[in-house]
Coordinates of all heavy atoms in Angstrom, one line a residue:
S1058 N 13.1 -18.0 -56.3 CA 12.0 -17.5 -55.5 C 12.0 -15.9 -55.5 O 12.0 -15.2 -54.5 CB 12.0 -18.0 -54.0 OG 11.9 -19.3 -54.0
W1059 N 11.9 -15.4 -56.8 CA 11.9 -13.9 -56.9 C 11.0 -13.5 -58.1 O 10.8 -14.4 -59.0 CB 13.2 -13.2 -56.9 CG 14.2 -13.7 -57.9 CD1 15.3 -14.5 -57.8 CD2 14.3 -13.3 -59.4 NE1 16.0 -14.6 -58.9 CE2 15.4 -13.9 -59.9 CE3 13.3 -12.6 -60.2 CZ2 15.6 -13.8 -61.2 CZ3 13.7 -12.4 -61.5 CH2 14.8 -13.0 -62.0
F1060 N 10.6 -12.4 -58.1 CA 9.9 -11.8 -59.2 C 10.4 -10.3 -59.4 O 10.9 -9.7 -58.5 CB 8.4 -11.9 -59.3 CG 7.8 -10.9 -58.3 CD1 7.3 -9.6 -58.7 CD2 7.4 -11.3 -57.0 CE1 6.7 -8.8 -57.8 CE2 6.8 -10.4 -56.0 CZ 6.5 -9.2 -56.5
E1061 N 10.2 -9.7 -60.6 CA 10.7 -8.4 -60.9 C 9.7 -7.5 -61.4 O 8.7 -8.0 -62.1 CB 11.9 -8.3 -61.9 CG 13.2 -8.8 -61.3 CD 14.4 -8.7 -62.2 OE1 14.0 -8.4 -63.4 OE2 15.5 -8.7 -61.8
V1062 N 9.6 -6.2 -61.0 CA 8.7 -5.2 -61.5 C 9.6 -4.1 -62.1 O 10.6 -3.7 -61.5 CB 7.7 -4.7 -60.6 CG1 6.6 -5.9 -60.3 CG2 8.3 -4.2 -59.3
W1063 N 9.1 -3.4 -63.2 CA 9.9 -2.3 -63.8 C 9.0 -1.1 -63.5 O 7.8 -1.1 -63.8 CB 10.1 -2.5 -65.2 CG 11.2 -3.5 -65.5 CD1 11.2 -4.9 -65.1 CD2 12.3 -3.4 -66.3 NE1 12.3 -5.5 -65.6 CE2 13.0 -4.7 -66.4 CE3 12.8 -2.4 -67.2 CZ2 14.2 -4.8 -67.1 CZ3 13.9 -2.5 -67.9 CH2 14.6 -3.8 -67.9
L1064 N 9.7 -0.1 -63.0 CA 8.9 1.2 -62.6 C 9.3 2.4 -63.5 O 10.5 2.6 -63.7 CB 9.1 1.5 -61.2 CG 8.9 0.4 -60.1 CD1 9.3 1.0 -58.8 CD2 7.6 -0.1 -60.2
I1065 N 8.4 3.0 -64.1 CA 8.6 4.2 -64.9 C 8.8 5.5 -64.0 O 8.4 5.4 -62.8 CB 7.4 4.5 -65.8 CG1 6.1 4.7 -65.2 CG2 7.4 3.3 -66.9 CD1 5.0 5.1 -66.1
P1066 N 9.3 6.5 -64.6 CA 9.6 7.7 -63.7 C 8.3 8.3 -63.0 O 8.4 8.6 -61.9 CB 10.1 8.7 -64.7 CG 10.8 7.9 -65.7 CD 10.0 6.7 -65.8
E1067 N 7.1 8.2 -63.6 CA 5.9 8.7 -62.9 C 5.5 7.9 -61.7 O 5.1 8.4 -60.7 CB 4.8 8.7 -64.0 CG 3.4 9.1 -63.4 CD 3.3 10.5 -62.9 OE1 4.3 11.2 -63.2 OE2 2.3 10.9 -62.3
T1068 N 5.7 6.6 -61.8 CA 5.5 5.7 -60.6 C 6.4 6.1 -59.5 O 6.0 6.2 -58.3 CB 5.6 4.2 -61.0 OG1 4.8 4.0 -62.1 CG2 5.3 3.3 -59.8
L1069 N 7.7 6.3 -59.9 CA 8.7 6.7 -58.8 C 8.3 8.0 -58.2 O 8.5 8.3 -57.0 CB 10.1 6.8 -59.4 CG 10.6 5.4 -59.9 CD1 12.0 5.6 -60.6 CD2 10.8 4.5 -58.7
R1070 N 7.8 9.0 -59.0 CA 7.4 10.3 -58.5 C 6.2 10.2 -57.5 O 6.3 11.0 -56.6 CB 7.0 11.3 -59.8 CG 6.8 12.7 -59.3 CD 6.3 13.5 -60.6 NE 5.1 13.1 -61.0 CZ 3.9 13.7 -60.6 NH1 4.0 14.5 -59.5 NH2 2.8 13.2 -61.0
M1071 N 5.3 9.4 -57.8 CA 4.1 9.3 -57.0 C 4.1 8.4 -55.8 O 3.1 8.2 -55.1 CB 2.9 9.0 -57.8 CG 2.5 10.1 -58.8 SD 1.9 11.6 -58.0 CE 0.4 11.0 -57.2
T1072 N 5.2 7.6 -55.6 CA 5.3 6.6 -54.6 C 6.5 6.7 -53.9 O 7.4 7.5 -54.1 CB 5.2 5.2 -55.3 OG1 6.4 5.0 -56.1 CG2 4.0 5.1 -56.2
V1073 N 6.7 5.8 -52.9 CA 7.9 5.7 -52.1 C 8.9 4.8 -52.5 O 9.9 4.5 -51.9 CB 7.5 5.2 -50.6 CG1 6.5 6.2 -50.0 CG2 6.9 3.9 -50.6
F1074 N 8.8 4.3 -53.8 CA 9.7 3.1 -54.2 C 11.1 3.5 -54.4 O 12.0 2.8 -54.3 CB 9.1 2.4 -55.5 CG 7.8 1.7 -55.2 CD1 6.7 1.8 -56.1 CD2 7.7 0.7 -54.3 CE1 5.5 1.2 -55.8 CE2 6.5 0.0 -54.0 CZ 5.5 0.3 -54.8
R1075 N 11.3 4.8 -54.7 CA 12.7 5.3 -54.9 C 13.4 5.1 -53.6 O 14.7 4.9 -53.6 CB 12.7 6.7 -55.3 CG 14.0 7.3 -55.4 CD 14.8 6.9 -56.7 NE 14.3 7.4 -57.8 CZ 14.9 7.2 -59.1 NH1 15.9 6.4 -59.2 NH2 14.4 7.7 -60.2
Q1076 N 12.8 5.0 -52.5 CA 13.5 4.9 -51.2 C 13.8 3.5 -50.8 O 14.6 3.3 -49.9 CB 12.6 5.5 -50.1 CG 12.1 6.8 -50.3 CD 11.1 7.3 -49.3 OE1 10.8 6.7 -48.3 NE2 10.3 8.3 -49.6
K1077 N 13.3 2.6 -51.6 CA 13.5 1.2 -51.2 C 14.8 0.6 -51.8 O 14.9 0.6 -53.0 CB 12.3 0.3 -51.7 CG 10.9 0.8 -51.2 CD 10.8 0.9 -49.7 CE 9.5 1.3 -49.2 NZ 9.3 1.5 -47.8
Q1078 N 15.6 0.1 -50.9 CA 16.8 -0.6 -51.3 C 16.9 -2.0 -50.9 O 15.9 -2.5 -50.3 CB 18.1 0.1 -50.7 CG 18.1 1.7 -51.1 CD 18.3 1.9 -52.6 OE1 19.1 1.1 -53.2 NE2 17.6 2.8 -53.2
A1079 N 17.9 -2.8 -51.2 CA 18.0 -4.1 -51.0 C 17.7 -4.3 -49.5 O 18.3 -3.7 -48.6 CB 19.3 -4.8 -51.3
G1080 N 16.9 -5.3 -49.0 CA 16.5 -5.6 -47.7 C 15.3 -5.0 -47.2 O 14.8 -5.3 -46.1
A1081 N 14.8 -4.0 -47.9 CA 13.6 -3.2 -47.5 C 12.4 -4.1 -47.6 O 12.3 -5.0 -48.5 CB 13.3 -2.0 -48.3
A1082 N 11.4 -4.1 -46.5 CA 10.3 -4.8 -46.5 C 9.2 -4.2 -47.3 O 9.1 -3.0 -47.4 CB 9.8 -5.1 -45.1
L1083 N 8.4 -5.0 -48.0 CA 7.2 -4.6 -48.8 C 6.0 -5.3 -48.5 O 6.1 -6.6 -48.3 CB 7.6 -4.7 -50.3 CG 8.8 -3.9 -50.8 CD1 9.1 -4.4 -52.3 CD2 8.6 -2.4 -50.8
N1084 N 4.8 -4.7 -48.6 CA 3.6 -5.4 -48.5 C 3.1 -5.9 -49.9 O 3.1 -5.2 -50.9 CB 2.5 -4.4 -47.9 CG 2.8 -4.1 -46.5 OD1 3.2 -4.9 -45.7 ND2 2.5 -2.8 -46.2
I1085 N 2.6 -7.2 -49.9 CA 2.3 -7.8 -51.1 C 0.8 -8.3 -51.0 O 0.5 -9.0 -50.1 CB 3.2 -9.0 -51.6 CG1 4.6 -8.6 -51.5 CG2 2.7 -9.5 -52.9 CD1 5.0 -7.7 -52.5
E1086 N 0.0 -7.8 -52.0 CA -1.4 -8.4 -52.1 C -1.5 -9.1 -53.5 O -1.2 -8.3 -54.5 CB -2.4 -7.4 -52.0 CG -3.9 -7.9 -52.1 CD -5.0 -6.9 -52.0 OE1 -4.7 -5.8 -51.5 OE2 -6.0 -7.1 -52.7
I1087 N -1.7 -10.3 -53.5 CA -1.8 -11.0 -54.8 C -3.1 -10.7 -55.5 O -4.1 -10.3 -54.8 CB -1.6 -12.6 -54.7 CG1 -2.6 -13.2 -53.6 CG2 -0.2 -12.8 -54.1 CD1 -2.6 -14.6 -53.6
E1088 N -3.2 -10.8 -56.7 CA -4.4 -10.6 -57.4 C -5.4 -11.7 -57.1 O -5.2 -12.9 -57.4 CB -4.1 -10.6 -59.0 CG -5.1 -9.8 -59.8 CD -6.3 -10.6 -60.2 OE1 -6.1 -11.7 -60.6 OE2 -7.5 -10.1 -60.1
R1089 N -6.6 -11.3 -56.7 CA -7.5 -12.3 -56.0 C -8.1 -13.3 -57.0 O -8.3 -14.4 -56.7 CB -8.6 -11.6 -55.3 CG -9.2 -12.3 -54.2 CD -8.1 -12.7 -53.2 NE -7.5 -11.6 -52.5 CZ -6.3 -11.7 -51.8 NH1 -5.7 -12.8 -51.8 NH2 -5.9 -10.6 -51.1
S1090 N -8.4 -12.8 -58.1 CA -9.1 -13.8 -59.2 C -8.0 -14.8 -59.6 O -8.3 -16.0 -59.8 CB -9.6 -13.1 -60.4 OG -8.5 -12.4 -61.1
T1091 N -6.7 -14.3 -59.7 CA -5.7 -15.4 -59.9 C -5.6 -16.5 -58.8 O -5.5 -17.7 -59.1 CB -4.3 -14.7 -60.0 OG1 -4.3 -13.7 -61.2 CG2 -3.2 -15.7 -60.3
Q1092 N -5.7 -16.0 -57.6 CA -5.6 -16.9 -56.4 C -6.7 -17.9 -56.6 O -6.6 -19.1 -56.4 CB -5.6 -16.2 -55.2 CG -5.6 -17.2 -53.9 CD -5.7 -16.3 -52.6 OE1 -6.3 -15.3 -52.6 NE2 -5.1 -16.9 -51.5
V1093 N -8.0 -17.4 -56.8 CA -9.2 -18.3 -56.9 C -9.0 -19.4 -58.0 O -9.2 -20.5 -57.7 CB -10.4 -17.5 -57.2 CG1 -11.6 -18.4 -57.5 CG2 -10.8 -16.6 -55.9
I1094 N -8.5 -18.9 -59.2 CA -8.3 -19.9 -60.3 C -7.3 -20.9 -60.0 O -7.5 -22.1 -60.1 CB -7.9 -19.1 -61.5 CG1 -9.0 -18.3 -62.0 CG2 -7.6 -20.1 -62.7 CD1 -8.8 -17.4 -63.2
V1095 N -6.1 -20.5 -59.4 CA -5.0 -21.4 -59.1 C -5.5 -22.4 -58.0 O -5.2 -23.6 -58.1 CB -3.7 -20.6 -58.7 CG1 -2.7 -21.5 -58.1 CG2 -3.2 -19.9 -59.8
D1096 N -6.1 -21.9 -57.0 CA -6.5 -22.8 -55.9 C -7.6 -23.8 -56.3 O -7.6 -25.0 -55.9 CB -7.1 -21.9 -54.7 CG -5.9 -21.3 -53.9 OD1 -4.8 -21.6 -54.2 OD2 -6.3 -20.5 -53.1

C-alpha cells in the first residue's frame, strides 16, 4: 500500500517537500479522469 515519486532539485526549490520526513501528512488529489475510467 504505497507509491513513490521522484523529485528533481527544481521541484524541491519551489515547494515544501524538502521539509517532509517520515510520518509527515500530505494532501492527495487523484487524477480525476483516471477515477472516472476506473469507476
Side-chain angles (χ1 to χ4, degrees):
S1058 297
W1059 56 256
F1060 72 92
E1061 286 186 342
V1062 292
W1063 289 53
L1064 309 179
I1065 62 173
E1067 176 63 12
T1068 301
L1069 293 176
R1070 184 183 72 85
M1071 288 296 294
T1072 67
V1073 299
F1074 292 128
R1075 175 71 73 177
Q1076 305 169 16
K1077 306 301 182 183
Q1078 299 300 316
L1083 300 170
N1084 293 321
I1085 307 294
E1086 180 182 335
I1087 59 175
E1088 204 275 316
R1089 206 57 65 201
S1090 63
T1091 298
Q1092 182 185 27
V1093 170
I1094 292 171
V1095 170
D1096 286 348

